[in-house]
Amino acid sequence: EAEASCILEEVFQAEGINLVKGSASSVESDGETGHIATCKLSDGTTTTVKGDLLLVATGRTPNVKNMGLEKIGIDLNERGGIEVNKKLYTGVKNVYAAGDCTG
């Protein structure tokens, strides 16, 4: 995914597309034909982006709550996903996890 991200960033820059890395806290109509997104950047500041088209990539959040995983000894990581090692092992015999559920 990191390689694809770098390629997309290069293409966007070549096309004159402004790329803002942060989290969108709101997106509203500008009252005309466009939208305004307010974004929080990694340094804690905010910025606004106005355009007729906005691409907002929201990311994925693990959906493992209320599954009783902790009852069988599976730990969750700081992102709320299932904690695994490099071999995708959860620490519980014969239980492995991969993909979005690991955060």
Side-chain angles (χ1 to χ4, degrees):
E1 291 182 9
E3 185 177 335
S5 178
C6 289
I7 292 169
L8 280 174
E9 187 171 348
E10 289 174 8
V11 170
F12 286 165
Q13 288 176 346
E15 294 290 324
I17 297 171
N18 183 25
L19 182 65
V20 177
K21 296 178 183 180
S23 57
S25 55
S26 69
V27 179
E28 300 173 6
S29 171
D30 68 1
E32 297 171 10
T33 60
H35 296 84
I36 300 171
T38 301
C39 303
K40 183 175 182 182
L41 306 178
S42 60
D43 65 3
T45 62
T46 60
T47 188
T48 57
V49 180
K50 181 178 179 179
D52 55 344
L53 295 171
L54 297 174
L55 171 64
V56 179
T58 59
R60 295 187 175 131
T61 302
N63 185 11
V64 296
K65 292 182 181 175
N66 302 319
M67 293 180 70
L69 298 174
E70 63 283 344
K71 291 179 183 176
I72 62 169
I74 294 178
D75 295 322
L76 300 183
N77 58 34
E78 66 278 355
R79 296 174 309 280
I82 297 172
E83 183 70 39
V84 294
N85 66 14
K86 290 182 181 181
K87 295 184 179 183
L88 306 177
Y89 180 58
T90 64
V92 175
K93 185 177 181 179
N94 296 321
V95 180
Y96 295 81
D100 294 346
C101 69
T102 62

Coordinates of all heavy atoms in Angstrom, one line a residue:
E1 N 0.8 -1.2 0.0 CA 0.0 0.0 0.0 C 0.8 1.3 0.0 O 0.5 2.3 -0.6 CB -0.9 0.0 1.2 CG -2.0 -1.0 1.1 CD -3.0 -1.0 2.3 OE1 -2.9 0.0 3.1 OE2 -3.8 -1.9 2.4
A2 N 2.0 1.2 0.7 CA 2.8 2.4 0.7 C 3.4 2.8 -0.7 O 3.4 4.0 -1.0 CB 4.0 2.2 1.7
E3 N 3.7 1.8 -1.4 CA 4.2 2.0 -2.8 C 3.1 2.7 -3.7 O 3.4 3.6 -4.4 CB 4.7 0.8 -3.4 CG 5.4 1.0 -4.8 CD 5.9 -0.3 -5.4 OE1 6.3 -1.2 -4.6 OE2 6.0 -0.4 -6.6
A4 N 1.9 2.1 -3.6 CA 0.8 2.7 -4.4 C 0.5 4.1 -3.9 O 0.2 4.9 -4.8 CB -0.4 1.8 -4.2
S5 N 0.6 4.3 -2.6 CA 0.3 5.7 -2.1 C 1.3 6.7 -2.7 O 1.0 7.8 -3.1 CB 0.4 5.7 -0.6 OG 0.2 6.9 -0.1
C6 N 2.6 6.3 -2.8 CA 3.6 7.2 -3.3 C 3.4 7.5 -4.8 O 3.5 8.6 -5.2 CB 5.0 6.6 -3.1 SG 5.6 6.6 -1.4
I7 N 3.0 6.4 -5.5 CA 2.7 6.6 -7.0 C 1.5 7.6 -7.1 O 1.6 8.5 -8.0 CB 2.5 5.3 -7.6 CG1 3.8 4.5 -7.7 CG2 1.9 5.5 -9.0 CD1 3.6 3.0 -8.1
L8 N 0.5 7.4 -6.4 CA -0.7 8.3 -6.5 C -0.3 9.7 -6.1 O -0.8 10.6 -6.8 CB -1.8 7.8 -5.6 CG -2.7 6.6 -6.1 CD1 -3.6 6.2 -5.1 CD2 -3.4 7.1 -7.4
E9 N 0.5 9.9 -5.1 CA 0.9 11.2 -4.7 C 1.7 11.9 -5.9 O 1.4 13.1 -6.2 CB 1.8 11.2 -3.5 CG 2.1 12.5 -2.9 CD 2.7 12.5 -1.5 OE1 2.8 11.4 -0.9 OE2 3.3 13.5 -1.1
E10 N 2.5 11.2 -6.5 CA 3.3 11.7 -7.7 C 2.4 12.1 -8.8 O 2.5 13.2 -9.4 CB 4.3 10.7 -8.1 CG 5.5 10.5 -7.2 CD 6.4 9.4 -7.6 OE1 6.3 8.9 -8.7 OE2 7.3 9.1 -6.8
V11 N 1.4 11.2 -9.1 CA 0.4 11.5 -10.2 C -0.4 12.7 -9.8 O -0.6 13.6 -10.7 CB -0.5 10.3 -10.4 CG1 -1.6 10.6 -11.4 CG2 0.4 9.1 -11.0
F12 N -0.9 12.8 -8.6 CA -1.7 14.0 -8.2 C -0.9 15.3 -8.4 O -1.4 16.3 -8.9 CB -2.1 13.8 -6.7 CG -3.2 12.8 -6.5 CD1 -3.5 12.4 -5.2 CD2 -4.0 12.4 -7.6 CE1 -4.5 11.5 -5.0 CE2 -5.0 11.4 -7.4 CZ -5.3 11.0 -6.1
Q13 N 0.4 15.3 -7.9 CA 1.2 16.5 -8.0 C 1.4 16.9 -9.5 O 1.4 18.0 -9.8 CB 2.5 16.3 -7.3 CG 2.4 16.2 -5.8 CD 3.7 15.9 -5.1 OE1 4.7 15.5 -5.7 NE2 3.7 16.1 -3.8
A14 N 1.7 15.9 -10.3 CA 1.9 16.2 -11.7 C 0.6 16.7 -12.4 O 0.7 17.5 -13.3 CB 2.3 14.9 -12.5
E15 N -0.5 16.4 -11.9 CA -1.8 16.9 -12.4 C -2.2 18.2 -11.8 O -3.3 18.7 -12.1 CB -2.9 15.8 -12.2 CG -2.7 14.6 -13.0 CD -2.9 14.8 -14.5 OE1 -3.8 15.6 -14.9 OE2 -2.2 14.1 -15.3
G16 N -1.4 18.7 -10.8 CA -1.8 19.9 -10.1 C -2.8 19.7 -9.0 O -3.5 20.7 -8.6
I17 N -3.0 18.5 -8.6 CA -4.0 18.2 -7.5 C -3.3 18.4 -6.2 O -2.2 17.9 -5.9 CB -4.5 16.8 -7.6 CG1 -5.2 16.7 -9.0 CG2 -5.4 16.5 -6.5 CD1 -5.6 15.2 -9.3
N18 N -3.9 19.3 -5.3 CA -3.4 19.5 -4.0 C -3.7 18.4 -3.0 O -4.9 18.0 -2.8 CB -4.1 20.8 -3.4 CG -3.5 21.2 -2.1 OD1 -2.4 20.9 -1.7 ND2 -4.3 22.0 -1.4
L19 N -2.7 17.8 -2.4 CA -2.9 16.6 -1.5 C -2.7 17.1 -0.1 O -1.6 17.7 0.2 CB -1.9 15.5 -1.9 CG -2.0 14.3 -1.1 CD1 -3.3 13.6 -1.3 CD2 -0.8 13.4 -1.4
V20 N -3.7 17.0 0.7 CA -3.6 17.4 2.1 C -3.7 16.1 3.0 O -4.7 15.4 2.9 CB -4.8 18.3 2.5 CG1 -4.7 18.7 4.0 CG2 -4.7 19.6 1.7
K21 N -2.6 15.8 3.7 CA -2.6 14.7 4.6 C -3.0 15.1 6.0 O -2.4 15.9 6.6 CB -1.2 14.1 4.6 CG -0.8 13.5 3.3 CD 0.6 13.0 3.4 CE 1.1 12.5 2.0 NZ 2.5 12.0 2.1
G22 N -4.1 14.5 6.4 CA -4.7 14.8 7.7 C -6.0 14.1 7.9 O -6.3 13.2 7.1
S23 N -6.8 14.5 8.9 CA -8.1 13.9 9.0 C -9.1 15.0 8.8 O -9.0 16.1 9.4 CB -8.2 13.3 10.4 OG -8.0 14.2 11.4
A24 N -10.1 14.6 8.0 CA -11.2 15.6 7.7 C -12.1 15.6 8.9 O -12.7 14.6 9.3 CB -11.9 15.2 6.5
S25 N -12.3 16.8 9.5 CA -13.2 16.9 10.6 C -14.6 17.4 10.2 O -15.6 17.1 10.9 CB -12.6 17.9 11.7 OG -12.4 19.2 11.1
S26 N -14.7 18.0 9.0 CA -16.0 18.3 8.5 C -15.9 18.6 7.0 O -14.9 19.0 6.5 CB -16.6 19.5 9.2 OG -15.8 20.7 8.8
V27 N -17.0 18.3 6.3 CA -17.1 18.6 4.9 C -18.5 19.3 4.7 O -19.5 18.7 5.1 CB -17.0 17.4 4.0 CG1 -17.1 17.8 2.5 CG2 -15.6 16.7 4.2
E28 N -18.5 20.5 4.1 CA -19.8 21.2 4.0 C -19.9 21.8 2.5 O -18.9 22.0 1.9 CB -19.9 22.3 5.0 CG -19.8 21.9 6.4 CD -19.7 23.1 7.4 OE1 -19.8 24.2 6.9 OE2 -19.5 22.8 8.6
S29 N -21.1 22.0 2.1 CA -21.3 22.7 0.8 C -20.8 24.1 1.0 O -21.0 24.8 2.0 CB -22.8 22.7 0.5 OG -23.0 23.5 -0.6
D30 N -20.3 24.7 -0.1 CA -19.9 26.1 0.0 C -21.0 27.0 -0.4 O -20.9 28.3 -0.5 CB -18.7 26.4 -0.9 CG -18.9 26.2 -2.4 OD1 -20.1 25.9 -2.8 OD2 -18.0 26.4 -3.2
G31 N -22.2 26.5 -0.6 CA -23.4 27.3 -1.0 C -23.5 27.5 -2.5 O -24.5 28.1 -2.9
E32 N -22.5 27.1 -3.2 CA -22.5 27.2 -4.7 C -22.5 25.9 -5.3 O -23.4 25.1 -5.2 CB -21.4 28.2 -5.1 CG -21.5 29.6 -4.5 CD -20.3 30.4 -4.8 OE1 -19.4 30.0 -5.5 OE2 -20.2 31.5 -4.2
T33 N -21.4 25.6 -6.0 CA -21.2 24.3 -6.6 C -20.1 23.4 -6.1 O -19.8 22.3 -6.6 CB -20.9 24.5 -8.1 OG1 -19.7 25.2 -8.2 CG2 -22.0 25.2 -8.8
G34 N -19.5 23.9 -5.0 CA -18.4 23.1 -4.4 C -18.6 22.7 -3.0 O -19.7 22.8 -2.4
H35 N -17.5 22.3 -2.4 CA -17.4 21.9 -1.0 C -16.2 22.5 -0.3 O -15.2 22.8 -0.9 CB -17.4 20.4 -0.9 CG -18.6 19.7 -1.5 ND1 -18.8 19.5 -2.8 CD2 -19.7 19.3 -0.9 CE1 -19.9 18.9 -3.0 NE2 -20.5 18.8 -1.8
I36 N -16.3 22.6 1.0 CA -15.2 23.0 1.8 C -14.9 21.9 2.9 O -15.9 21.5 3.6 CB -15.5 24.3 2.5 CG1 -15.7 25.4 1.5 CG2 -14.3 24.7 3.5 CD1 -16.2 26.7 2.1
A37 N -13.7 21.4 2.9 CA -13.3 20.4 3.9 C -12.4 21.1 4.9 O -11.5 21.8 4.6 CB -12.6 19.2 3.3
T38 N -12.7 20.9 6.2 CA -11.8 21.3 7.3 C -11.0 20.1 7.7 O -11.6 19.1 8.1 CB -12.6 21.9 8.5 OG1 -13.4 23.0 8.0 CG2 -11.7 22.4 9.6
C39 N -9.7 20.2 7.7 CA -8.8 19.1 8.0 C -7.9 19.4 9.1 O -7.3 20.5 9.2 CB -8.0 18.7 6.8 SG -8.9 18.4 5.3
K40 N -7.7 18.4 10.0 CA -6.7 18.5 11.1 C -5.4 17.8 10.6 O -5.5 16.7 10.3 CB -7.2 17.9 12.4 CG -6.3 18.1 13.5 CD -6.9 17.6 14.8 CE -5.9 17.8 16.0 NZ -6.5 17.2 17.2
L41 N -4.3 18.6 10.7 CA -3.1 18.0 10.2 C -2.3 17.4 11.4 O -2.7 17.6 12.6 CB -2.2 19.2 9.6 CG -2.9 20.0 8.5 CD1 -2.0 21.1 8.0 CD2 -3.3 19.1 7.4
S42 N -1.3 16.6 11.1 CA -0.6 15.8 12.1 C 0.1 16.7 13.1 O 0.3 16.3 14.3 CB 0.4 14.9 11.5 OG 1.4 15.7 10.7
D43 N 0.4 18.0 12.8 CA 1.0 18.9 13.7 C 0.0 19.6 14.6 O 0.4 20.5 15.4 CB 1.9 19.9 13.0 CG 1.1 20.9 12.1 OD1 -0.1 20.8 12.1 OD2 1.8 21.7 11.5
G44 N -1.3 19.2 14.5 CA -2.3 19.8 15.4 C -3.0 21.0 14.8 O -4.0 21.5 15.3
T45 N -2.5 21.6 13.7 CA -3.1 22.7 13.1 C -4.3 22.3 12.2 O -4.4 21.1 11.9 CB -2.1 23.6 12.2 OG1 -1.6 22.7 11.2 CG2 -1.0 24.1 13.1
T46 N -5.1 23.2 11.8 CA -6.2 22.9 10.8 C -6.0 23.7 9.6 O -5.4 24.8 9.6 CB -7.6 23.2 11.5 OG1 -7.6 24.5 11.8 CG2 -7.8 22.3 12.7
T47 N -6.6 23.2 8.5 CA -6.6 23.9 7.2 C -7.9 23.6 6.5 O -8.6 22.6 6.9 CB -5.4 23.5 6.4 OG1 -5.3 24.3 5.2 CG2 -5.5 22.0 5.9
T48 N -8.3 24.5 5.6 CA -9.5 24.2 4.9 C -9.1 24.1 3.4 O -8.1 24.6 2.9 CB -10.5 25.4 5.0 OG1 -9.9 26.6 4.6 CG2 -11.0 25.5 6.4
V49 N -9.9 23.2 2.7 CA -9.7 22.9 1.3 C -11.0 23.1 0.6 O -12.0 22.6 1.1 CB -9.2 21.5 1.1 CG1 -9.0 21.2 -0.4 CG2 -7.9 21.2 1.9
K50 N -11.0 23.9 -0.4 CA -12.2 24.2 -1.2 C -12.0 23.7 -2.6 O -11.0 23.8 -3.2 CB -12.5 25.7 -1.3 CG -13.7 26.0 -2.0 CD -14.0 27.5 -2.0 CE -15.3 27.8 -2.8 NZ -15.6 29.2 -2.9
G51 N -13.1 23.0 -3.1 CA -13.0 22.5 -4.5 C -14.4 22.1 -4.9 O -15.3 21.9 -4.2
D52 N -14.5 21.9 -6.2 CA -15.7 21.4 -6.8 C -15.8 19.9 -6.6 O -16.9 19.3 -6.6 CB -15.9 21.8 -8.3 CG -14.8 21.3 -9.1 OD1 -13.7 21.0 -8.6 OD2 -15.0 21.4 -10.4
L53 N -14.7 19.2 -6.5 CA -14.6 17.8 -6.2 C -13.6 17.5 -5.1 O -12.5 18.1 -5.1 CB -14.2 17.0 -7.4 CG -15.2 17.0 -8.6 CD1 -14.5 16.3 -9.8 CD2 -16.5 16.3 -8.2
L54 N -13.9 16.8 -4.1 CA -13.0 16.4 -3.0 C -13.0 14.9 -2.9 O -14.0 14.3 -2.9 CB -13.5 17.0 -1.7 CG -13.5 18.6 -1.6 CD1 -14.2 19.0 -0.2 CD2 -12.2 19.2 -1.7
L55 N -11.8 14.4 -2.8 CA -11.6 13.0 -2.6 C -11.1 12.8 -1.1 O -10.1 13.4 -0.7 CB -10.5 12.4 -3.5 CG -10.0 11.0 -3.2 CD1 -11.2 10.0 -3.4 CD2 -8.9 10.6 -4.1
V56 N -11.9 12.2 -0.3 CA -11.6 12.0 1.1 C -11.5 10.5 1.3 O -12.4 9.8 1.2 CB -12.7 12.6 2.0 CG1 -12.4 12.4 3.4 CG2 -13.0 14.1 1.7
A57 N -10.3 10.1 1.6 CA -10.0 8.7 2.0 C -10.1 8.6 3.5 O -9.3 9.1 4.2 CB -8.6 8.3 1.4
T58 N -11.0 7.8 4.0 CA -11.3 7.8 5.4 C -10.5 6.7 6.1 O -10.5 6.7 7.3 CB -12.8 7.6 5.7 OG1 -13.2 6.4 5.1 CG2 -13.6 8.8 5.1
G59 N -10.0 5.7 5.4 CA -9.3 4.6 6.1 C -10.3 3.6 6.7 O -11.5 3.8 6.5
R60 N -9.8 2.6 7.3 CA -10.7 1.5 7.8 C -10.4 1.4 9.3 O -9.3 1.6 9.8 CB -10.3 0.2 7.1 CG -10.6 0.3 5.6 CD -10.5 -1.1 5.0 NE -10.9 -1.0 3.6 CZ -10.2 -1.5 2.6 NH1 -9.0 -2.0 2.8 NH2 -10.6 -1.4 1.4
T61 N -11.5 1.1 10.0 CA -11.5 0.9 11.4 C -11.9 -0.6 11.7 O -12.9 -1.0 11.2 CB -12.4 1.8 12.1 OG1 -12.1 3.2 11.8 CG2 -12.4 1.6 13.6
P62 N -11.1 -1.3 12.5 CA -11.5 -2.7 12.8 C -12.8 -2.7 13.5 O -13.2 -1.8 14.3 CB -10.4 -3.1 13.8 CG -9.3 -2.1 13.7 CD -9.9 -0.9 13.2
N63 N -13.6 -3.7 13.2 CA -14.9 -3.9 13.8 C -14.9 -5.2 14.6 O -15.4 -6.2 14.1 CB -16.0 -3.9 12.7 CG -17.4 -4.0 13.3 OD1 -17.6 -3.8 14.5 ND2 -18.4 -4.3 12.5
V64 N -14.3 -5.2 15.8 CA -14.1 -6.4 16.6 C -14.7 -6.3 18.0 O -14.5 -7.2 18.8 CB -12.7 -6.9 16.6 CG1 -12.1 -7.2 15.2 CG2 -11.8 -5.8 17.3
K65 N -15.4 -5.2 18.2 CA -16.0 -5.0 19.5 C -17.1 -6.0 19.8 O -17.8 -6.4 18.9 CB -16.5 -3.6 19.7 CG -15.4 -2.6 19.7 CD -16.0 -1.2 19.9 CE -14.8 -0.1 19.9 NZ -15.3 1.2 19.9
N66 N -17.3 -6.3 21.0 CA -18.5 -7.2 21.5 C -18.4 -8.6 20.8 O -19.5 -9.2 20.6 CB -19.8 -6.5 21.2 CG -19.9 -5.2 21.9 OD1 -19.5 -5.0 23.1 ND2 -20.5 -4.2 21.2
M67 N -17.2 -9.0 20.5 CA -17.1 -10.4 20.0 C -16.6 -11.4 21.0 O -16.5 -12.6 20.7 CB -16.1 -10.4 18.8 CG -16.6 -9.6 17.6 SD -15.5 -9.6 16.2 CE -15.5 -11.3 15.7
G68 N -16.3 -10.9 22.2 CA -15.8 -11.7 23.3 C -14.4 -12.2 23.1 O -14.0 -13.2 23.7
L69 N -13.6 -11.5 22.3 CA -12.3 -11.9 22.1 C -11.4 -11.9 23.3 O -10.6 -12.8 23.5 CB -11.6 -11.0 21.0 CG -12.3 -11.0 19.6 CD1 -11.6 -9.9 18.7 CD2 -12.2 -12.4 19.0
E70 N -11.6 -11.0 24.2 CA -10.9 -10.9 25.4 C -11.2 -12.1 26.3 O -10.3 -12.6 27.1 CB -11.1 -9.6 26.2 CG -12.6 -9.4 26.7 CD -13.6 -9.0 25.6 OE1 -13.1 -8.6 24.5 OE2 -14.8 -9.1 25.8
K71 N -12.3 -12.7 26.2 CA -12.7 -13.9 27.0 C -11.9 -15.1 26.7 O -11.7 -16.0 27.5 CB -14.2 -14.2 26.8 CG -15.1 -13.2 27.4 CD -16.6 -13.6 27.2 CE -17.5 -12.5 27.7 NZ -18.9 -12.8 27.4
I72 N -11.3 -15.2 25.4 CA -10.5 -16.3 25.1 C -9.0 -15.9 25.0 O -8.2 -16.7 24.6 CB -10.9 -16.9 23.7 CG1 -10.8 -15.9 22.6 CG2 -12.3 -17.5 23.8 CD1 -11.0 -16.5 21.2
G73 N -8.7 -14.7 25.5 CA -7.3 -14.3 25.7 C -6.7 -13.5 24.5 O -5.5 -13.3 24.4
I74 N -7.5 -13.0 23.6 CA -7.0 -12.2 22.5 C -7.0 -10.8 22.9 O -8.0 -10.2 23.3 CB -7.9 -12.4 21.2 CG1 -7.8 -13.9 20.7 CG2 -7.5 -11.4 20.1 CD1 -8.6 -14.2 19.5
D75 N -5.8 -10.2 22.7 CA -5.6 -8.8 23.0 C -5.9 -7.9 21.8 O -5.7 -8.3 20.7 CB -4.2 -8.6 23.5 CG -3.8 -9.3 24.8 OD1 -4.7 -9.4 25.7 OD2 -2.7 -9.8 24.9
L76 N -6.3 -6.6 22.1 CA -6.5 -5.6 21.1 C -5.3 -4.7 21.1 O -4.8 -4.4 22.2 CB -7.8 -4.9 21.3 CG -9.1 -5.8 21.3 CD1 -10.3 -4.9 21.4 CD2 -9.2 -6.6 20.0
N77 N -5.0 -4.1 20.0 CA -3.9 -3.2 19.9 C -4.4 -1.7 20.1 O -5.6 -1.5 20.3 CB -3.1 -3.3 18.6 CG -4.0 -3.2 17.3 OD1 -4.9 -2.4 17.3 ND2 -3.7 -3.9 16.3
E78 N -3.5 -0.8 20.0 CA -3.9 0.6 20.2 C -4.9 1.2 19.2 O -5.5 2.2 19.4 CB -2.6 1.5 20.3 CG -1.8 1.6 19.0 CD -0.9 0.5 18.7 OE1 -0.7 -0.4 19.6 OE2 -0.3 0.5 17.6
R79 N -5.0 0.5 18.0 CA -5.9 1.0 17.0 C -7.3 0.3 17.1 O -8.2 0.5 16.3 CB -5.3 0.7 15.6 CG -4.1 1.5 15.4 CD -3.4 1.2 14.1 NE -3.1 -0.2 13.9 CZ -2.1 -0.9 14.4 NH1 -1.2 -0.3 15.2 NH2 -1.9 -2.2 14.2
G80 N -7.4 -0.6 18.1 CA -8.7 -1.3 18.4 C -8.8 -2.6 17.6 O -9.8 -3.2 17.6
G81 N -7.7 -3.0 16.9 CA -7.7 -4.2 16.2 C -7.1 -5.4 17.0 O -6.6 -5.2 18.1
I82 N -7.1 -6.5 16.4 CA -6.6 -7.7 17.1 C -5.1 -7.7 17.0 O -4.5 -7.5 16.0 CB -7.1 -9.0 16.4 CG1 -8.6 -9.1 16.5 CG2 -6.4 -10.2 16.9 CD1 -9.3 -10.2 15.7
E83 N -4.4 -7.9 18.2 CA -3.0 -7.8 18.3 C -2.4 -9.1 17.7 O -2.9 -10.2 18.1 CB -2.6 -7.7 19.7 CG -1.1 -7.6 19.9 CD -0.5 -6.3 19.4 OE1 -1.2 -5.2 19.6 OE2 0.6 -6.3 18.9
V84 N -1.5 -9.0 16.8 CA -0.8 -10.2 16.2 C 0.7 -9.9 16.1 O 1.1 -8.8 16.1 CB -1.4 -10.5 14.7 CG1 -2.8 -10.9 14.8 CG2 -1.2 -9.3 13.8
N85 N 1.4 -11.0 15.9 CA 2.9 -10.9 15.7 C 3.1 -10.9 14.1 O 2.2 -10.9 13.3 CB 3.6 -12.0 16.4 CG 3.4 -13.4 15.9 OD1 2.8 -13.6 14.8 ND2 3.8 -14.4 16.7
K86 N 4.4 -11.0 13.7 CA 4.7 -10.9 12.3 C 4.2 -12.1 11.5 O 4.0 -12.0 10.3 CB 6.2 -10.8 12.1 CG 6.8 -9.5 12.6 CD 8.3 -9.4 12.4 CE 8.8 -8.1 12.9 NZ 10.2 -7.9 12.7
K87 N 3.9 -13.2 12.2 CA 3.3 -14.4 11.6 C 1.8 -14.4 11.7 O 1.2 -15.4 11.4 CB 3.9 -15.6 12.1 CG 5.4 -15.7 11.8 CD 6.0 -17.0 12.3 CE 7.5 -17.1 11.9 NZ 8.0 -18.4 12.3
L88 N 1.2 -13.3 12.1 CA -0.3 -13.1 12.3 C -0.9 -14.0 13.4 O -2.1 -14.1 13.5 CB -1.0 -13.4 10.9 CG -0.5 -12.6 9.7 CD1 -1.2 -13.0 8.5 CD2 -0.6 -11.1 10.0
Y89 N 0.0 -14.4 14.3 CA -0.5 -15.2 15.4 C -1.0 -14.3 16.5 O -0.3 -13.3 16.9 CB 0.7 -16.1 15.9 CG 0.4 -17.0 17.1 CD1 -0.7 -17.9 17.0 CD2 1.1 -16.9 18.3 CE1 -1.0 -18.7 18.1 CE2 0.8 -17.7 19.3 CZ -0.2 -18.6 19.3 OH -0.5 -19.4 20.3
T90 N -2.1 -14.6 17.1 CA -2.7 -13.8 18.2 C -2.2 -14.1 19.6 O -2.4 -13.3 20.5 CB -4.2 -14.0 18.2 OG1 -4.5 -15.4 18.6 CG2 -4.9 -13.7 16.9
G91 N -1.5 -15.2 19.7 CA -1.1 -15.6 21.1 C -2.0 -16.7 21.7 O -1.7 -17.3 22.7
V92 N -3.1 -17.0 21.0 CA -4.0 -18.0 21.4 C -3.8 -19.2 20.4 O -3.9 -19.0 19.2 CB -5.5 -17.5 21.4 CG1 -6.4 -18.6 21.7 CG2 -5.6 -16.4 22.4
K93 N -3.7 -20.4 21.0 CA -3.4 -21.6 20.2 C -4.4 -21.7 19.0 O -5.6 -21.6 19.2 CB -3.5 -22.8 21.0 CG -3.0 -24.1 20.3 CD -3.0 -25.3 21.2 CE -2.6 -26.5 20.4 NZ -2.6 -27.7 21.3
N94 N -3.8 -21.8 17.8 CA -4.5 -22.0 16.5 C -5.4 -20.8 16.1 O -6.3 -21.0 15.3 CB -5.4 -23.3 16.6 CG -4.5 -24.5 16.7 OD1 -3.4 -24.6 16.1 ND2 -5.0 -25.5 17.6
V95 N -5.1 -19.6 16.7 CA -5.9 -18.5 16.3 C -5.0 -17.4 15.6 O -4.1 -16.9 16.3 CB -6.7 -17.9 17.5 CG1 -7.5 -16.6 17.0 CG2 -7.6 -18.9 18.1
Y96 N -5.3 -17.1 14.4 CA -4.5 -16.2 13.6 C -5.5 -15.1 13.1 O -6.7 -15.4 13.0 CB -3.8 -16.9 12.4 CG -2.8 -17.8 12.8 CD1 -3.2 -19.1 13.2 CD2 -1.5 -17.5 12.9 CE1 -2.2 -20.0 13.7 CE2 -0.5 -18.4 13.3 CZ -0.9 -19.7 13.7 OH 0.1 -20.5 14.1
A97 N -5.0 -13.9 12.8 CA -5.9 -12.8 12.3 C -5.1 -12.1 11.2 O -3.9 -11.9 11.3 CB -6.3 -11.9 13.4
A98 N -5.8 -11.6 10.2 CA -5.2 -10.8 9.1 C -6.2 -9.9 8.5 O -7.4 -10.0 8.7 CB -4.7 -11.8 8.0
G99 N -5.6 -8.8 8.0 CA -6.5 -7.8 7.3 C -7.0 -6.7 8.2 O -6.4 -6.4 9.2
D100 N -8.2 -6.2 7.8 CA -8.7 -5.1 8.5 C -8.9 -5.3 10.0 O -8.9 -4.3 10.8 CB -10.1 -4.6 7.9 CG -9.9 -4.1 6.4 OD1 -8.8 -3.9 6.0 OD2 -10.9 -4.0 5.8
C101 N -9.2 -6.5 10.4 CA -9.5 -6.8 11.8 C -8.3 -6.5 12.7 O -8.4 -6.4 13.9 CB -10.1 -8.2 12.0 SG -8.9 -9.5 11.7
T102 N -7.1 -6.5 12.1 CA -5.9 -6.2 12.9 C -5.6 -4.8 13.0 O -4.6 -4.4 13.7 CB -4.7 -7.0 12.3 OG1 -4.4 -6.5 11.0 CG2 -4.9 -8.5 12.3
G103 N -6.3 -3.9 12.3 CA -6.1 -2.5 12.4 C -4.9 -2.0 11.7 O -4.4 -1.0 11.8

